[in-house]
């Protein structure tokens, strides 16, 4: 098989759409929503310099493989480098033997990219990444918090997700994840992305962290201009230092013979960018106030950064690792899926870049909003 590789052209989308529909997932979001595909891989992305940041594998002009690459600015303690997230690695079933899969995965591994990250990959592909000598991270830390006034709602929610559970098992989980405190007074904050963010917020965080640069250009693309989700941005300013909390409201939907029905609401915290503990506390209070006004069940957050995780636990979150049934708290809500599963990642880094790890000393700013993980199913 004389397979060749090339970047996708602007006229290739219809064939890509059909290929993903047939060989990846019927009616996948990139199939039914061209605007999501354009935003992720096309000129709607602020760093894409090809018609699409997508590699196609072809055999005599026939599409047999697809690999998306979402570019990002890699911040390494204030130094700017280049990274790419791999997304939707797919080979047609009759082309999966031999070395073609390795060749396709390696297409973005070149001297232009200092970091190549595959986030949210299928556990079945782990052996391929290990052979390619990637660092494999078996899960991303998740934190969850329940409001005390919603305990009975959480019990009903768990009954739907895990009908086989005993009352004692549900009660143990609910007690462990119920918030110990709520804000005692209103907190001054603003909404939207401040114009001064790069100078008065990101400039303070960049020297302390590694990962995708959370500068204004990225945040505008990722959250302000998202084609589907409405993200809410909370900004707190203390003596000229700015912190941001970014979240979205999600409806939890169950399935029945009549179709999907709304069960609950939850807050998905996707960024918590605080240069100091004082700012973190103010951000948290402002965020919780918005959650209470939205009448949500609770909130969750995925992220590796050690200091952020420590602050969030001090303010009420509990890590799912800290309870024997914590990982059974559903994370897929449309529709509700009680099975869940880990967020597995594989990372290729230049030798001089610190590795990502779970733990209190992790310097990587890496959340579930990275790559294309926080998107419609």
């Amino acid at each position: 098989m004389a397979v060749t590789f090339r970047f996708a052209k602007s006229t290739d989308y219809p064939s890509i759409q059909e290929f993903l529909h047939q060989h990846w997932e019927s009616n996948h979001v990139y199939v039914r929503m061209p605007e999501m595909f354009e935003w992720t891989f096309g000129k709607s992305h602020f760093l894409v310099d090809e018609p699409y940041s997508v590699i196609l594998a072809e055999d005599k002009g026939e599409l047999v493989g697809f690999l998306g690459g979402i570019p990002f600015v890699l911040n390494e303690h204030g130094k700017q480098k280049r990274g790419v997230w791999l997304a939707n690695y797919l080979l047609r079933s009759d082309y999966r033997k031999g070395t073609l899969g390795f060749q396709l995965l390696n297409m973005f591994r070149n001297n232009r990219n200092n970091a190549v990250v595959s986030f949210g990959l299928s556990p079945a592909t782990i052996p391929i990444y290990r052979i390619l000598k990637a660092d494999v991270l078996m899960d991303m830390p998740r934190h969850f918090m329940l409001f005390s006034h919603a305990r009975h709602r959480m019990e009903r929610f768990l009954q739907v997700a895990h009908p086989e559970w005993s009352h004692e098992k549900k009660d143990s989980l609910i007690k462990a994840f119920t918030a110990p405190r709520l804000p005692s007074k209103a907190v001054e904050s603003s909404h939207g992305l401040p114009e001064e963010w790069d100078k008065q917020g990101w400039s303070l965080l960049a020297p302390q962290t590694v990962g995708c640069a959370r500068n204004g250009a990225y945040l505008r693309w990722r959250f302000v201009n998202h084609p589907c989700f409405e993200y809410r941005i909370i900004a707190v300013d203390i003596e000229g230092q700015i912190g941001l909390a970014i979240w979205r409201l999600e409806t939890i939907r169950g399935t029945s013979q009549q179709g999907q029905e709304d069960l609950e609401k939850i807050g998905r915290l996707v960024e918590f960018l605080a240069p100091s503990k004082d700012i973190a506390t103010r951000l948290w209070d402002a965020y919780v106030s918005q959650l209470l006004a939205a009448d949500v069940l609770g909130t969750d957050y995925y992220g590796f950064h050690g200091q952020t995780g420590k602050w969030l636990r001090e303010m009420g979150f509990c890590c799912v690792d800290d309870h024997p049934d914590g990982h059974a708290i559903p994370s897929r809500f449309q529709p509700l899926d009680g099975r869940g599963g880990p967020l597995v990642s594989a990372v290729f880094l230049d030798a001089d870049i610190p590795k990502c790890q779970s733990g209190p000393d992790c310097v990587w700013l890496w959340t579930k909003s990275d790559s294309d993980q926080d998107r419609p199913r």
Side-chain angles (χ1 to χ4, degrees):
M1 301 179 185
V3 175
T4 58
F5 303 93
R6 65 173 176 86
F7 275 102
K9 297 179 292 190
S10 58
T11 55
D12 286 321
Y13 177 70
S15 59
I16 292 171
Q17 190 178 36
E18 181 63 23
F19 183 73
L20 294 176
H21 180 70
Q22 286 190 7
H23 301 287
W24 181 269
E25 180 183 318
S26 176
N27 207 30
H28 186 274
V29 64
Y30 292 144
V31 172
R32 68 179 189 270
M33 300 182 69
E35 65 272 26
M36 271 297 299
F37 187 88
E38 183 69 30
W39 175 83
T40 307
F41 302 113
K43 289 295 187 180
S44 296
H45 190 292
F46 71 108
L47 292 176
V48 170
D49 50 13
E50 303 280 350
Y52 291 119
S53 185
V54 167
I55 299 291
L56 302 182
E58 295 177 315
D59 187 357
K60 298 178 182 178
E62 184 179 6
L63 184 57
V64 299
F66 174 99
L67 179 63
I70 308 170
F72 65 92
V73 175
L74 175 67
N75 167 65
E76 195 236 319
H77 296 300
K79 294 181 288 186
Q80 288 194 0
K81 299 185 177 182
R82 187 179 175 99
V84 64
W85 291 301
L86 304 183
N88 295 78
Y89 162 64
L90 174 62
L91 279 174
R92 210 171 72 185
S93 58
D94 52 333
Y95 282 79
R96 291 175 188 169
K97 293 182 179 179
T99 63
L100 186 59
F102 298 103
Q103 295 176 59
L104 182 57
L105 278 174
N106 275 324
M107 293 305 296
F108 285 104
R109 294 182 62 198
N110 51 52
N111 56 15
R112 293 182 65 198
N113 294 314
N114 307 103
V116 177
V117 180
S118 185
F119 179 26
L121 56 89
S122 167
T125 63
I126 292 174
I128 297 176
Y129 286 98
R130 292 200 190 278
I131 291 171
L132 293 172
K133 301 190 183 304
D135 292 319
V136 176
L137 304 169
M138 293 306 297
D139 204 357
M140 171 176 274
R142 184 191 186 200
H143 291 74
F144 186 84
M145 189 192 77
L146 170 70
F147 290 123
S148 58
H149 67 271
R151 289 167 61 97
H152 64 289
R153 293 161 55 187
M154 183 67 175
E155 186 167 0
R156 291 199 303 268
F157 169 63
L158 290 175
Q159 179 63 33
V160 174
H162 302 290
E164 74 283 3
W165 279 19
S166 67
H167 172 75
E168 290 74 20
K169 189 168 186 174
K170 288 182 287 187
D171 191 56
S172 171
L173 190 72
I174 290 169
K175 286 181 179 177
F177 288 90
T178 298
R181 74 171 186 90
L182 295 176
S184 57
K185 59 181 179 180
V187 175
E188 184 177 344
S189 63
S190 60
H191 306 288
L193 181 63
E195 292 183 6
E196 305 83 4
W197 167 247
D198 283 350
K199 291 183 179 180
Q200 295 174 226
W202 176 241
S203 65
L204 304 174
L205 286 168
Q208 308 171 32
T209 59
V210 176
C212 170
R214 264 67 175 169
N215 55 25
Y218 171 77
L219 297 181
R220 277 188 292 275
W221 166 75
R222 181 62 189 83
F223 301 111
V224 178
N225 298 326
H226 196 278
C228 301
F229 287 156
E230 179 183 348
Y231 292 97
R232 309 178 188 200
I233 302 177
I234 304 169
V236 165
D237 185 332
I238 298 181
E239 297 180 352
Q241 295 188 0
I242 299 174
L244 300 177
I246 304 176
W247 72 287
R248 65 179 179 85
L249 183 66
E250 182 161 355
T251 300
I252 301 171
R253 295 194 173 101
T255 54
S256 66
Q257 293 181 345
Q258 289 73 39
Q260 291 195 11
E261 58 179 347
D262 294 352
L263 299 177
E264 269 296 348
K265 293 181 292 184
I266 190 169
R268 314 303 301 259
L269 180 63
V270 294
E271 296 286 355
F272 195 79
L273 303 169
S276 70
K277 177 66 178 296
D278 286 346
I279 291 177
T281 302
R282 288 265 295 273
L283 273 177
W284 176 253
D285 288 349
Y287 174 52
V288 171
S289 295
Q290 289 196 11
L291 293 177
L292 293 172
D295 191 30
V296 300
L297 178 78
T299 177
D300 71 348
Y301 170 81
Y302 286 84
F304 280 108
H305 190 240
Q307 183 64 76
T308 298
K310 179 176 181 292
W311 285 340
L312 290 176
R313 288 189 297 276
E314 290 174 355
M315 290 181 284
F317 264 121
C318 182
C319 183
V320 298
D321 290 336
D322 294 338
H323 190 277
D325 295 314
H327 284 276
I329 298 174
S331 60
R332 298 169 184 168
F333 298 131
Q334 294 191 358
L336 176 63
D337 185 350
R339 293 169 297 177
L343 274 174
V344 182
S345 302
V347 186
F348 303 94
L349 296 174
D350 285 356
D352 60 338
I353 299 174
K355 293 184 178 182
C356 183
Q357 59 186 350
S358 295
D361 299 323
C362 183
V363 296
W364 273 75
L365 268 182
W366 179 355
T367 75
K368 194 178 179 181
S369 69
D370 287 38
S371 188
D372 68 343
Q373 288 302 297
D374 193 50
R375 58 165 170 76
R377 293 189 66 182

